[in-house]
Amino acid sequence: MSSVATTVLSLVLFATYIGIGALAHDSQFSLGWVLGSTLLVWAGPAQIILISTLGSGATAVQAAIAVAVSAIRLFPMVVSVLPLLKTPTTKRRHLVLVTHFIAVTLWVECYRLLPKVPRESRIAFTHGLGCGLVIVCLIATSLGYGLAARLPPLFAAAILLLTPLAFLLSTARNCRQISDVLALVLGLALYPLVSMLQTGVDILISGATAGTLAYGVHWWRERARA
Amino acid sequence: MSEFFGSPHALLILILAGFLPNEIWRMAGLWFGAGVDEGSEVLVWVRAVATAILAGVIAQILVQPPGALAGVPDWLRYGAVAAGVVMFMATRRSIFAGVACGEIALVAGKWWLG
């Protein structure tokens, strides 16, 4: 539990889920619904997108597309974390729960904490860390939901700003190559332009374009070096 | 209990529009991840696209803010994030310092506006 309690990211996560609880209350969702979304979806941006798109009257199909697009980032996260957890005898089904817990916070924490844990205990350790984080966030969701009516607008706005700030900075910190940095900067710059087209899949278009451009620069530099 | 969970229809939408489209990428990572080499070019590209998509999600929250954040003027939202980024750089990539600085800028600005 100490590793759950002491990190800055888990504080940010706690505050983010207070914000999600408050947003769900203001968008007329039930407490059970938003707790279910924390447990099952377990990804801050996807939940904010789900609540705000459904709350603004979009159809379930539009919401599903928006969520699916925002969740593509989970794929490379899972691919990069699983090799840290496996032993030669690990079966795929042993990794299903761990895979469900993987989101940006757990991904960062795995890189930081797992090297100190013996390989054969890493799955159990990650189960504990994941359960701890989920429970903390369920409490935060309920708190935010309960406080929403009494939350001053300034405080509510500050909490909603936490998600983009924390995601921006933790992504910037985890940039390993020039392609990652470029993808982040181009992705930020391109979205406002693409959103004027109002296609409904703006994030997918701006993300795929910016990401591919960033990869193109990486490829070109590698070739120039060779 | 029905008041706690709300309508079954809303819960069905949670599963179909929230849980499944999100979880499918995690399970795809579990299923196909074993065959992908961590340093491979495909993964560099997937990571670049995923990073750019997350950047798009961040930009969307800032450009089309949800809930109470919509009550904050555009320039103040962008200014607060810029202040956070500058502090992050100045403190050799401290996420905590950057987030704290951005939040203080937002609260101070809004308070000053009244």
Side-chain angles (χ1 to χ4, degrees), chain A residues 30-33 35, chain B residues 1-8 11:
Chain A
S30 70
L31 178 59
W33 189 93
L35 288 176
Chain B
M1 216 46 191
S2 67
E3 197 184 325
F4 178 72
F5 281 114
S7 75
L11 289 179

Side-chain angles (χ1 to χ4, degrees), chain A residues 1-11 13 81 84 101-117 125-126 129-130 133 170 173-174, chain B residues 95:
Chain A
M1 266 319 261
S2 64
S3 52
V4 176
T6 51
T7 64
V8 174
L9 273 178
S10 37
L11 280 179
L13 195 67
V81 168
L84 294 175
F101 285 141
I102 293 173
V104 71
T105 307
L106 194 85
W107 181 63
V108 172
E109 295 302 290
C110 278
Y111 272 102
R112 198 172 67 91
L113 299 170
L114 284 184
K116 299 174 202 159
V117 180
F125 178 85
T126 311
L129 186 64
L133 285 172
S170 57
R173 214 191 138 97
N174 288 320
Chain B
I95 296 175

Side-chain angles (χ1 to χ4, degrees), chain A residues 30 32-33 40-42 68-69 71 73 92 99-100 102 154 157-158 162 171 173 177 180 183 191 203 207 212 215, chain B residues 4-5 10 14 17 19 22-23 25-26 29 31 41 45 47-48 50 52-55 60 64 66 69 93 99 103 110:
Chain A
S30 70
W33 189 93
L40 293 174
V41 179
W42 186 236
V69 166
R73 71 200 157 80
R92 198 175 263 159
T99 305
H100 173 70
I102 293 173
L154 176 56
L162 269 175
T171 311
R173 214 191 138 97
Q177 295 172 330
D180 298 328
Y191 173 77
I203 293 181
T212 305
Y215 175 76
Chain B
F4 178 72
F5 281 114
L14 171 62
F19 175 64
N22 192 63
E23 200 71 5
W25 294 108
R26 289 189 175 120
W31 218 251
E41 289 293 293
W45 178 75
R47 213 173 54 227
I53 285 172
L54 186 61
Q60 185 185 36
Q64 298 146 2
L69 198 55
R93 296 189 172 195
V99 169
E103 288 291 332
K110 189 80 167 102

Side-chain angles (χ1 to χ4, degrees), chain A residues 57-133:
Chain A
T59 64
V61 175
Q62 285 170 319
I65 292 172
V67 169
V69 166
S70 80
I72 296 174
R73 71 200 157 80
L74 297 171
F75 177 80
M77 276 185 206
V78 170
V79 173
S80 64
V81 168
L82 290 186
L84 294 175
L85 292 159
K86 275 187 204 155
T87 67
T89 55
T90 307
K91 299 245 171 15
R92 198 175 263 159
R93 65 192 148 84
H94 298 149
L95 293 166
V96 170
L97 187 58
V98 168
T99 305
H100 173 70
F101 285 141
I102 293 173
V104 71
T105 307
L106 194 85
W107 181 63
V108 172
E109 295 302 290
C110 278
Y111 272 102
R112 198 172 67 91
L113 299 170
L114 284 184
K116 299 174 202 159
V117 180
R119 187 165 277 273
E120 53 290 0
S121 327
R122 286 183 183 175
I123 293 179
F125 178 85
T126 311
H127 281 157
L129 186 64
C131 286
L133 285 172

